[in-house]
Each structure stands twice: as C-alpha cells, then as structure tokens.
C-alpha cells in the first residue's frame, strides 16, 4: 500500500465528518466548541472503558460470550455517558438563555438546539473513529496491506474504515434522536437509541466467523442508513410541530 491508500482509508472513516464540519459546524463558533468538547468527553470515556477492560485482555479466540459481555458493558457505559452529556448540555443551555436574557438577545432556537445535539453527536462519532480506526491505520501507509485469517476477502484497514464510518453516522444522528427524546420525554425514542447502538455493536460479532466481515460490515452500514432516516423523520416532525405552534400563537 502507499500513502494514497492510507489517506483513502482515513477519508473513508472521517471524510463525511470533515464535510459535515465544513458545511455545518464551522459556521458557528459555539458548534465548534461543542464538537471539540464532545470529542474530548467521549475520548475520555473510551479511555476509561479501555482501562477497565485492560485487566481482562487478551480474550481467548473463540470465546464469543466474552466479546458479548465486552460489547454490552461498553454500550451501557456509553449510553450512561450520553445521559450525563445531555445533563451537562442542559445546564449550558440554561446559562446561555440566562445570558441572552441579560443582554436582551433571543434565546436558543429549536434549530440551534438541534445543531448543538448534532455537533455533540459528531464529536462522539469522531472520537469513536479516532479511537478504533485511525490508531490502527499507521501501517496502511506502508508498501503492503494486511488481512486477518477470519476476513481474507477484505483488507483489514478497509474493514476498519467502513466500520468506523458506520459508527460515525450512527453516533452522530443517534445523539439528535436522544436529545430530542430526553427533551420531549419520549420513552420510545429513549429506548430506540441504546437498542440501535447495541444492535450495531452486536453485529460486529459476525466478524468473528470466517468471512463474517463480508456480512457484518454491510449490515452495519445498513443500520447507519436506517438511523439517519429515522433521525430525519424525528427532526422533520419536531420542526413541523414547532412551526405549527408558532403559527397558532
């Protein structure tokens, strides 16, 4: 492989994030700050999680139940962290609204709140991609590629990049769904987000089977598309209802 291949893998994993940052986040300084703080916040949570599991590694090959426990605990910790992140965001929102009242400026609009949740989710996705993909891509800039025995049909670096892309999309748009669910106290959507996260993570167990990456990776990308579609429906419904309330008032 060459530098071009290494950059290609990196762009597969993070190219959409760069586009979203340039097209949406970079236009507003408070979104940039939200993205940076979210990325740092989630990186710290992943480091803590890796520290917890450090004492149990390496896991013996073939013990799928150990991987299942690892996945379940990881998802549970991250979903708990998401709730903590939302509570911190609500405190920040109250401070910003209070400051806006003092200087006679309008409070955060619904669109602003959704953009903040979007930036927070993008930070989560970027942190996941950096932690699980970019840290593995250094050898991809060399002269050869790498295959693992259980996935001999797809380069390891390509599989890692596609998986990172899938989780980037899932984490980014799940945050919008979750923040909206917490704000509106919608139990259904509050359950949907961790279920989607857990389902996507469990799909990675398919990669333990010979040739499983050819099934698990596309399934993850399908899950990412479904998450994006569901987020679109949630956002459109919320914005439409908000507009109707404004017209009625």
């Amino acid at each position: 492989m060459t530098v071009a291949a290494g950059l290609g893998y990196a762009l597969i994993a993070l190219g959409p994030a760069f586009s979203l940052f340039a097209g949406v986040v970079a236009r507003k300084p408070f979104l940039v700050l939200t993205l940076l703080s979210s990325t740092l916040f989630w990186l710290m949570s992943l480091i803590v999680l890796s520290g917890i599991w450090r004492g149990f590694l390496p896991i013996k090959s073939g013990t799928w139940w150990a991987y299942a426990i690892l996945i379940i605990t990881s998802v549970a910790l991250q979903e708990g962290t998401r709730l903590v992140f939302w509570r911190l965001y609500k405190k920040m929102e109250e401070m910003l609204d209070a400051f806006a009242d003092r200087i006679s400026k309008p409070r955060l609009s619904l669109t602003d709140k959704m953009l903040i949740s979007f930036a927070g989710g993008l930070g989560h996705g970027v942190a996941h991609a950096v932690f699980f993909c970019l840290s593995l891509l250094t050898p991809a800039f060399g002269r050869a590629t790498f295959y693992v025995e259980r996935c001999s049909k797809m380069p390891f670096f390509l599989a890692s990049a596609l998986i990172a892309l899938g989780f980037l999309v899932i984490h980014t748009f799940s945050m919008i769904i979750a923040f909206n669910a917490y704000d509106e106290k919608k139990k259904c959507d509050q359950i949907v987000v961790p279920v989607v996260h857990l389902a996507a993570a469990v799909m990675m167990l398919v990669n333990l089977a010979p040739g499983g990456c050819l099934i698990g990776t596309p399934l993850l990308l399908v899950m990412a598309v479904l998450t994006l579609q569901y987020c679109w429906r949630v956002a459109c419904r919320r914005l439409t209802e908000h507009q109707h309330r404004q017209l009625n008032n």
Side-chain angles (χ1 to χ4, degrees), residues 24-46:
V24 180
V25 177
R27 297 180 179 182
K28 297 188 177 183
F30 72 90
L31 293 181
V32 176
L33 292 175
T34 302
L35 172 64
L36 294 176
S37 60
S38 174
T39 303
L40 178 61
F41 186 80
W42 288 102
L43 276 175
M44 290 175 60
S45 71
L46 291 172

Side-chain angles (χ1 to χ4, degrees), residues 50-66:
S50 65
I52 294 173
W53 271 95
R54 181 68 177 175
F56 300 93
L57 298 177
I59 298 175
K60 293 182 179 180
S61 178
T63 54
W64 64 268
W65 58 268

